Amino acid sequence: MSFKFEKLIIWQDSMNFGENIFQMTHGFPKDELYNLTSQIRRAADSIALNISEGSILQSNAEFKRFLGYSIRSIAEVVTCLYKAKNRKYLSEAQFLEIYNFAYKIMNHIIAFRNKLT
């Protein structure tokens, strides 16, 4: 047995993305714990959370709305990534790796959302 969302590649990728963000933020300064660290972690976790919540007992229109929330959360993560890079918490290489993963997930979610009727 499994939940419907567990089979979705967008959910699986979003789960991995959230874990990558969590690990990455261990290197952030302690004085950012309740600011940038918390914000980027919550936004990254929100991507998968909205996919799973929207997929259960929802109409396609409602599911599309939740997928929109996931996309917005990706935008929030990307903005936090820029802040982390500007504050020198991330190297350019780290930034680009995570940024590209975020971009890939966003495009997959958009494509999936566009296929829902």
Side-chain angles (χ1 to χ4, degrees):
M1 287 177 52
S2 66
F3 289 93
K4 174 181 168 182
F5 60 83
E6 292 176 285
K7 297 174 185 153
L8 297 173
I9 301 288
I10 57 172
W11 180 81
Q12 295 167 11
D13 285 348
S14 297
M15 289 292 290
N16 290 333
F17 185 72
E19 297 311 306
N20 290 344
I21 293 292
F22 183 80
Q23 291 302 320
M24 176 204 67
T25 56
H26 281 297
F28 285 12
K30 295 296 175 215
D31 64 342
E32 288 284 12
L33 185 60
Y34 299 107
N35 295 311
L36 188 59
T37 302
S38 175
Q39 189 72 29
I40 195 170
R41 285 177 177 177
R42 286 182 290 115
D45 287 345
S46 183
I47 300 165
L49 290 168
N50 278 302
I51 292 168
S52 61
E53 185 177 355
S55 73
I56 301 294
L57 299 175
Q58 304 290 342
S59 66
N60 280 351
E62 192 72 3
F63 191 14
K64 287 172 109 171
R65 188 168 63 91
F66 277 88
L67 292 172
Y69 298 151
S70 290
I71 294 164
R72 290 180 192 100
S73 292
I74 294 168
E76 188 176 345
V77 169
V78 168
T79 300
C80 289
L81 288 173
Y82 273 103
K83 290 202 164 284
K85 183 179 82 159
N86 292 344
R87 295 174 187 176
K88 309 289 188 237
Y89 306 155
L90 296 175
S91 68
E92 183 69 23
Q94 288 172 305
F95 171 84
L96 286 174
E97 180 181 347
I98 300 163
Y99 179 93
N100 289 334
F101 195 9
Y103 190 77
K104 175 188 146 200
I105 293 170
M106 181 193 68
N107 283 320
H108 287 173
I109 293 172
I110 290 170
F112 179 80
R113 187 178 71 162
N114 287 343
K115 289 185 180 187
L116 293 174
T117 55

